[in-house]
Amino acid sequence: MGFYIRSVGITIIFFMLQGCQNLDIKPDSSISNESYWSSEADAESALNGLYLRMRNSFTVHNWMYWFECRTGNISGGLQPGGIQSFIDNALTPNLTDANWQPFYTVISLANAIIHNADRITFSQPSRKDDVKSQAYFVRAWCYYNLVRLWGEVPIVTAFIDSDNHEQLFPTRSGIDEVFQLIKEDIGLADDLSPDNTPTEKSKASRAAIMMLKADIYLWLARVLGESNGALQVADRAINEVLSSNTYQLAENYENIFTQDDNNEIIFSIYYDLLENSNQYGSLLGQSRSLVPQAYQNNPIPVGSNHTMQFSNLFYERYRNRTSNDARAEVISQDMEISGTNFRWTNKFMGEMNGNIRVFTSDTRIYRLAEAYLFKAEILAEQGQFVEALSYINSVVKRAYGMDDFYTSVSNKEELNNILLEERIIEFAGECKSWFDMIRFGEVFNRVPSLAGREKDKQGNVLYFPVHVNSFSANPNIKQTPGYE
């Protein structure tokens, strides 16, 4: 059952959040303490609204611009639009999609749930804990992405219920302070989460919480150099996921993307024909106006435009890295027609609604293959190379058709190279590669537009600038050094 049925009665939540623009976080009477938070049904509606807000706040471009386009693995399509600034890592404060506001729109509702759930009497106390756990999970996910994209960011944790609230015009907080909040939030999500797993992959199960926790603590260990047990926290979290009997690796790579209920998927963002059928896969399909009619959706999937595609660099370094990789044509295909090369992905291609393709594939956030590769990464950090290879081989078996594709490595550098390249291939187009390159310390080596730019923008070239609208909305916000 999708959000369409569950969301009846919560539409008001979206209207009441529309006034929250660019951290001009004004209170809204629609969710004041006196008028809204009075029953368990209110909390359940708000939680459903949180996931819809998580989907609807981020435009179709946000995902790819934030997490993929800066890697060198994406190039402009036949109708590229404004993608080149991201490909070139030449970001400016006026780029529409370099704006942090969508995250704060989601955070504002998470804050409302966290602060008001305790006012409500639930039929079962464990249900209240679950609602709060999911809200903490979503808030942690938002701040985790914010701090990695912008560095110092404003922290807003309060339920803004008055025009003179102290958090109404926040300043940017330091990276360490933001990560402290993230650790607290994912810790509370962990503590409050029930043992049972929700049947819907579009809600935060305990396994989803553990995946995010492992993700966070791997970043703390490998990027921020936190040595006080961060790697061990990540290991415990991922071990819990791997010991679950709920998930299993799909035998066929293509099925992961054609079946939204595939048992490999741990957490996803829900799309549906009746609500939102514009998942970002539409950017990687082909343009209906360009593909000859005889080939439209047979075999070339078409949508409204062709903004981006996998680059030649991606083909040469990753897609064609190993012959007979069963993932290759799922990730990307080419067909030349009358001198024009049409390139598209077979991931996230949705479904046909009559003769029109609608992009209703769910966005995969975490799947079991990543748990295996997180475990391999942890083992590599611990110097357990043979064990790490076994987890990599478990994932790539379906790609290469053999149990032990990788038999040995001579050092940690070689193992990390294998891990990073397999992650880039396995999760191509799934919004993982940008952060993977940073976590593995390879972003300046592998991204052509970043070569030799380690000190560019006063050392902040990997971060987004603050969008120009944020300054007019909040005079306490300062621009990232190097982008003034």
Side-chain angles (χ1 to χ4, degrees):
M1 181 183 298
F3 276 124
Y4 180 73
I5 295 175
R6 292 199 312 269
S7 62
V8 173
I10 66 170
T11 306
I12 187 173
I13 291 174
F14 302 114
F15 290 104
M16 67 195 178
L17 289 170
Q18 292 306 307
C20 175
Q21 296 295 325
N22 297 295
L23 291 186
D24 182 12
I25 309 170
K26 297 180 179 179
D28 196 306
S29 60
S30 300
I31 52 174
S32 69
N33 285 358
E34 297 302 321
S35 63
Y36 187 79
W37 304 95
S38 60
S39 70
E40 184 172 344
D42 291 339
E44 296 285 358
S45 292
L47 183 63
N48 287 335
L50 180 61
Y51 288 110
L52 267 73
R53 177 53 59 186
M54 194 176 182
R55 177 189 68 196
N56 295 340
S57 292
F58 306 125
T59 71
V60 65
H61 293 88
N62 288 156
W63 295 95
M64 294 296 288
Y65 283 179
W66 289 340
F67 307 128
E68 288 281 357
C69 288
R70 300 179 71 188
T71 62
N73 296 337
I74 298 293
S75 63
L78 298 177
Q79 297 173 324
I83 191 176
Q84 199 61 43
S85 295
F86 294 88
I87 293 172
D88 293 341
N89 280 283
L91 306 181
T92 61
N94 61 355
L95 285 172
T96 300
D97 292 284
N99 192 336
W100 59 28
Q101 181 54 39
F103 288 107
Y104 287 99
T105 302
V106 178
I107 287 168
S108 64
L109 183 48
N111 290 342
I113 295 169
I114 290 166
H115 283 270
N116 289 290
D118 288 336
R119 299 179 60 250
I120 296 170
T121 300
F122 284 75
S123 57
Q124 295 180 335
S126 61
R127 184 59 196 141
K128 179 180 74 173
D129 289 345
D130 186 24
V131 168
K132 292 181 67 175
S133 172
Q134 293 186 58
Y136 279 119
F137 166 87
V138 171
R139 193 169 77 178
W141 182 87
C142 286
Y143 276 112
Y144 182 46
N145 284 302
L146 275 166
V147 74
R148 292 184 297 170
L149 289 170
W150 277 273
E152 296 184 350
V153 295
I155 290 178
V156 182
T157 57
F159 173 53
I160 308 297
D161 58 356
S162 70
D163 285 317
N164 59 0
H165 197 284
E166 62 182 6
Q167 290 192 12
L168 198 58
F169 298 102
T171 60
R172 297 175 74 177
S173 296
I175 291 172
D176 289 345
E177 188 178 353
V178 179
F179 266 104
Q180 183 58 41
L181 172 65
I182 293 167
K183 288 192 282 186
E184 291 171 0
D185 278 0
I186 198 62
L188 287 164
D190 181 352
D191 292 343
L192 293 170
S193 66
D195 292 333
N196 60 308
T197 301
T199 57
E200 296 162 293
K201 297 179 184 299
S202 51
K203 286 193 171 183
S205 64
R206 179 155 183 84
I209 292 168
M210 292 299 100
M211 287 294 292
L212 178 57
K213 190 170 189 176
D215 198 343
I216 291 166
Y217 278 87
L218 262 173
W219 189 273
L220 288 167
R222 301 200 63 194
V223 180
L224 299 187
E226 188 169 306
S227 58
N228 57 342
L231 199 64
Q232 288 70 34
V233 174
D235 196 29
R236 287 193 296 271
I238 220 63
N239 286 343
E240 183 173 332
V241 177
L242 293 173
S243 65
S244 170
N245 294 320
T246 305
Y247 308 97
Q248 61 186 29
L249 293 173
E251 292 185 8
N252 186 312
Y253 186 74
E254 184 176 16
N255 290 347
I256 302 167
F257 307 100
T258 58
Q259 301 170 2
D260 284 339
D261 61 349
N262 191 285
N263 283 336
E264 182 167 323
I265 301 167
I266 295 173
F267 180 63
S268 58
I269 305 294
Y270 176 81
Y271 284 78
D272 182 83
L273 176 63
L274 297 175
E275 298 178 41
N276 188 320
S277 57
N278 195 26
Q279 198 267 357
Y280 70 76
S282 63
L283 304 175
L284 291 162
Q286 273 290 342
S287 172
R288 187 180 301 108
S289 65
L290 299 176
V291 177
Q293 188 170 6
Y295 299 95
Q296 292 185 11
N297 298 306
N298 182 33
I300 305 175
V302 298
S304 58
N305 54 39
H306 180 51
T307 301
M308 58 189 72
Q309 63 188 20
F310 287 102
S311 65
N312 291 334
L313 181 151
F314 174 80
Y315 267 57
E316 294 162 6
R317 185 158 193 174
Y318 304 109
R319 183 190 182 276
N320 300 339
R321 172 177 177 266
T322 306
S323 61
N324 300 318
D325 187 335
R327 297 169 295 192
E329 291 199 352
V330 178
I331 294 169
S332 188
Q333 279 187 262
D334 291 72
M335 176 178 283
E336 185 168 325
I337 304 172
S338 301
T340 298
N341 184 65
F342 294 97
R343 179 174 292 176
W344 70 92
T345 185
N346 286 308
K347 290 186 173 184
F348 306 124
M349 287 297 102
E351 60 188 301
M352 296 300 295
N353 180 35
N355 61 354
I356 300 296
R357 182 173 296 278
V358 287
F359 293 87
T360 55
S361 299
D362 295 350
T363 298
R364 279 70 169 150
I365 304 297
Y366 288 119
R367 51 188 177 90
L368 188 61
E370 188 162 25
Y372 277 80
L373 295 180
F374 274 163
K375 180 65 176 181
E377 191 173 337
I378 293 165
L379 289 166
E381 288 297 295
Q382 295 171 335
Q384 301 181 54
F385 298 169
V386 174
E387 293 85 349
L389 285 180
S390 70
Y391 280 96
I392 298 173
N393 282 328
S394 294
V395 173
V396 303
K397 177 181 178 179
R398 64 187 171 197
Y400 305 131
M402 61 180 67
D403 290 329
D404 297 304
F405 183 79
Y406 295 105
T407 56
S408 64
V409 291
S410 57
N411 54 52
K412 182 180 175 182
E413 182 180 358
E414 182 184 356
L415 178 54
N416 273 330
N417 184 69
I418 291 169
L419 258 171
L420 177 57
E421 296 200 350
E422 286 296 350
R423 282 189 62 90
I424 290 172
I425 300 167
E426 177 72 20
F427 303 116
E430 295 180 58
C431 299
K432 302 284 183 182
S433 296
W434 173 250
F435 290 141
D436 284 349
M437 288 182 180
I438 295 174
R439 194 172 70 255
F440 280 82
E442 284 288 307
V443 69
F444 290 105
N445 297 327
R446 291 179 182 257
V447 180
S449 64
L450 286 174
R453 295 179 61 188
E454 288 86 347
K455 296 181 180 180
D456 197 9
K457 303 295 182 183
Q458 299 183 35
N460 290 316
V461 69
L462 299 185
Y463 291 128
F464 279 134
V466 177
H467 192 270
V468 291
N469 288 353
S470 295
F471 303 114
S472 58
N474 182 356
N476 292 330
I477 295 297
K478 305 300 181 185
Q479 183 57 273
T480 303
Y483 288 99
E484 296 94 339

